[in-house]
Amino acid sequence: DAYVKSSFGLNTPTVLAGAVHRACALAMDAPQGPVFVSLPFEYLHQPAVLPAPVRYAFPSLPQPARAPLERAAEWLRAAQNPLIIVENAARNADEAARLVQLAERLGAGVVEGQHPGYVNFPRRHALHAGFYAQPYLKDADAVLMLEAPGPWYPPTAMTPPAAKLINVAQDPLRGRDPYTGFTADLIVPGDAMAAVDALLELIPAATAGASERIAAWGERATARRAQWREQALAQAGATPIDARFACHELNACLPDDAVIVDETILTHHTIINVMDRLRPGHFINALSGGLGLGLGMGLGAAIALPDTLPVVFVGDGTYNYNPALAALGFAQQYGIGLLTVIFNNGHYRSMQMGTEFLYPQGAAVTHGNHVSSPIAPNPDYGQLAALFGGHGERVDDPAQIRAAVERAVAAVRAGRPAIVDLRIGDETAFLAKLFGG
């Protein structure tokens, strides 16, 4: 239960069908999230004792109360420096468009948080303020948080000193977490997009100074994206391939219908900052309490969104946590095209970083011997795809990224799995600068 909302091990076949339907309803209830049901193999091979329920329905999401949203609207209308922080609210293009309307009426910058679950806000919009709220908190006087479990870090030290804080979420107190240090002046339980719609009614026109704020945010947004682009292009000839340049090339050559399932760890920050062509409804963050979900989620996206190009981003360590052979076998058996891009640094690098951070004077650091961190010898992962009738290749030359991706996309369009194994360098140095380390 530490990682799911509910868990149940079926102990009698009598309630099998009902247990599955109930699990689906629990998963869709607020706060929406995963539910685990263990179904013993022998029960699945017995005749059903009872049929599925005659009727069942998913619960409706709770709607936020009007009164606190009226107060929130007052604070936002009066704000000189409003800020919106959103992580997991706008799951598709329509919801993102409604959030754009609200941000434009307020002239509020929109920070997506360090680990956005979706593209909540168009990355090339003037009001997109990146993924890290810290630079803006000291000047903000009203902060609207929409499904933002980790709006800034550290929680207490970075709390905006003079801002009215509004927290809207299905579970704003995060009752299943053992601890959360985030506070707010106004806590509004309920569906975040319903709250956005209510605020659009309560704030029907642009607030004072909105156009000037939009222009200022636009200058910052243009400069931020240009800085990341320049850093990427400066590394165009680097080998091993620099992750920033790899993401720059993927940003340029992946087709518009690509749906990205991201289960990287270190490269995640580079992906979200560099790949500004990612659109609402075309990105799913697969990071969770553990690793190994990305390929399954990618196959799910391929089945649920048949008119798109499913792409999974993983590190090489993460790929080894996934059921790689089972996923390739499934794709081969059912003719499902799935592109897997492996950001391969030859390490379980995140694990090594944890050791270096927690034990800077420890034996691993002093002797340069990080047991189990290097993945060496490093296999040619692309050959796995070939074993299952797919296409795979290893890319060491940054100039070959686009051509390799083009060949892989062609295979996926033909209903075959494809793997592009990008050999990248260590990202920790520039990520440390990003986070002020």
Side-chain angles (χ1 to χ4, degrees):
D1 284 344
Y3 300 101
V4 296
K5 290 174 56 180
S6 173
S7 64
F8 176 60
L10 192 70
N11 54 10
T12 171
T14 305
V15 298
L16 190 153
V20 172
H21 285 87
R22 181 173 184 271
C24 293
L26 285 170
M28 297 302 292
D29 191 21
Q32 293 180 335
V35 169
F36 177 76
V37 180
S38 176
L39 303 177
F41 182 79
E42 56 270 25
Y43 293 165
L44 297 176
H45 280 263
Q46 293 180 16
V49 179
L50 291 177
V54 176
R55 60 173 63 90
Y56 70 94
F58 291 150
S60 301
L61 289 178
Q63 299 301 294
R66 185 78 172 186
L69 290 178
E70 290 174 349
R71 182 182 301 179
E74 291 177 9
W75 292 349
L76 292 167
R77 281 196 300 265
Q80 299 299 307
N81 293 295
L83 183 69
I84 297 173
I85 304 176
V86 56
E87 289 187 65
N88 303 313
R91 294 172 291 185
N92 53 51
D94 175 70
E95 292 179 345
R98 285 142 60 193
L99 184 54
V100 166
Q101 280 187 285
L102 179 61
E104 289 178 344
R105 291 181 191 180
L106 296 171
V110 179
V111 174
E112 279 199 88
Q114 295 184 25
H115 294 282
Y118 321 101
V119 175
N120 296 273
F121 199 85
R123 302 279 164 86
R124 291 182 173 178
H125 193 282
L127 288 172
H128 195 284
F131 307 92
Y132 316 104
Q134 288 85 331
Y136 316 121
L137 297 180
K138 67 181 188 321
D139 297 321
D141 54 359
V143 179
L144 173 63
M145 294 173 281
L146 301 169
E147 289 292 352
W152 54 79
Y153 187 84
T156 52
M158 294 301 297
T159 298
K164 294 290 188 182
L165 306 180
I166 307 156
N167 184 11
V168 183
Q170 292 180 23
D171 180 20
L173 296 179
R174 297 188 65 80
R176 290 172 172 80
D177 287 354
Y179 173 78
T180 176
F182 297 101
T183 60
D185 299 289
L186 191 60
I187 297 174
V188 188
D191 178 34
M193 289 311 303
V196 169
D197 292 337
L199 289 171
L200 285 171
E201 293 178 14
L202 294 164
I203 307 172
T207 58
S211 58
E212 291 82 359
R213 290 193 291 271
I214 291 173
W217 281 111
E219 292 178 3
R220 286 190 286 261
T222 300
R224 185 187 66 256
R225 292 198 305 272
Q227 183 179 25
W228 277 95
R229 183 169 57 252
E230 291 165 5
Q231 290 177 4
L233 292 174
Q235 302 297 324
T239 54
I241 300 169
D242 188 280
R244 290 165 291 187
F245 184 70
C247 289
H248 175 273
E249 295 295 271
L250 291 166
N251 191 51
C253 70
L254 281 174
D256 288 340
D257 63 339
V259 173
I260 309 300
V261 176
D262 176 25
E263 199 188 12
T264 60
I265 301 177
L266 299 183
T267 312
H268 165 81
H269 297 280
T270 309
I271 290 166
I272 60 176
N273 280 286
V274 176
M275 297 189 67
D276 59 5
R277 280 185 59 229
L278 290 175
R279 296 182 296 144
H282 286 252
F283 177 84
I284 303 167
N285 190 341
L287 280 177
S288 62
L291 297 174
L293 301 177
L295 293 179
M297 293 179 69
L299 290 169
I303 295 169
L305 304 168
D307 296 325
T308 65
L309 181 91
V311 183
V312 177
F313 287 170
V314 291
D316 53 327
T318 306
Y319 190 71
N320 283 300
Y321 275 93
N322 272 266
L325 298 183
L328 286 165
F330 186 92
Q332 181 186 39
Q333 180 176 356
Y334 294 101
I336 296 173
L338 177 67
L339 171 56
T340 302
V341 178
I342 302 176
F343 292 85
N344 187 344
N345 62 13
H347 284 79
Y348 292 101
R349 191 64 180 90
S350 180
M351 180 177 70
Q352 180 176 324
M353 284 181 64
T355 303
E356 292 168 345
F357 177 75
L358 293 171
Y359 305 101
Q361 306 302 321
V365 174
T366 56
H367 294 285
N369 182 19
H370 294 271
V371 178
S372 300
S373 173
I375 302 176
N378 199 291
D380 187 347
Y381 294 102
Q383 296 303 311
L384 292 175
L387 295 175
F388 291 85
H391 172 84
E393 55 186 292
R394 166 177 171 167
V395 182
D396 296 280
D397 182 354
Q400 297 302 314
I401 294 174
R402 295 196 189 194
V405 170
E406 182 178 353
R407 290 188 287 269
V409 167
V412 173
R413 300 281 195 209
R416 300 159 57 209
I419 296 175
V420 176
D421 181 3
L422 296 177
R423 300 302 171 113
I424 66 169
D426 194 337
E427 302 167 76
T428 54
F430 71 78
L431 288 177
K433 291 182 180 178
L434 175 65
F435 294 108

